[in-house]
Amino acid sequence: MCPRLLEVSSISRIEAAGAARSIIDEAAVRAVAGYCQGTPRIINSIMTSAFMLGAQMKKQSIDSEIILAASNSLALG
């Protein structure tokens, strides 16, 4: 999955859940693209982990630091 398709997919899922698209920044989307190697299941795992970490850390948005932590928690980093 190319980074642009990943971004569109992620944003549509975020909006479907009722959140604003600003909840994840562009650097974070690029970081997910780098870690997932185009595999949708890995994208979903990283994003789920990132949202849980972001909530635990009381973050207002998901940034590349949270994506890194999420991928590390999944042993992808």
Side-chain angles (χ1 to χ4, degrees):
M1 184 178 291
C2 72
R4 179 67 183 140
L5 184 55
L6 168 66
E7 180 180 7
V8 169
S9 172
S10 296
I11 289 171
S12 66
R13 291 184 70 202
I14 289 166
E15 289 175 340
R21 77 176 6 182
S22 62
I23 197 168
I24 184 168
D25 68 27
E26 289 184 37
V29 172
R30 287 192 303 272
V32 172
Y35 290 121
C36 74
Q37 301 172 341
T39 307
R41 187 172 295 172
I42 296 175
I43 295 167
N44 291 339
S45 295
I46 291 174
M47 294 304 295
T48 298
S49 180
F51 288 132
M52 290 187 338
L53 287 170
Q56 290 170 356
M57 298 167 70
K58 300 188 184 324
K59 293 282 193 169
Q60 294 297 311
S61 65
I62 303 301
D63 58 20
S64 56
E65 180 182 316
I66 294 173
I67 297 299
L68 175 61
S71 66
N72 285 338
S73 74
L74 299 169
L76 298 174

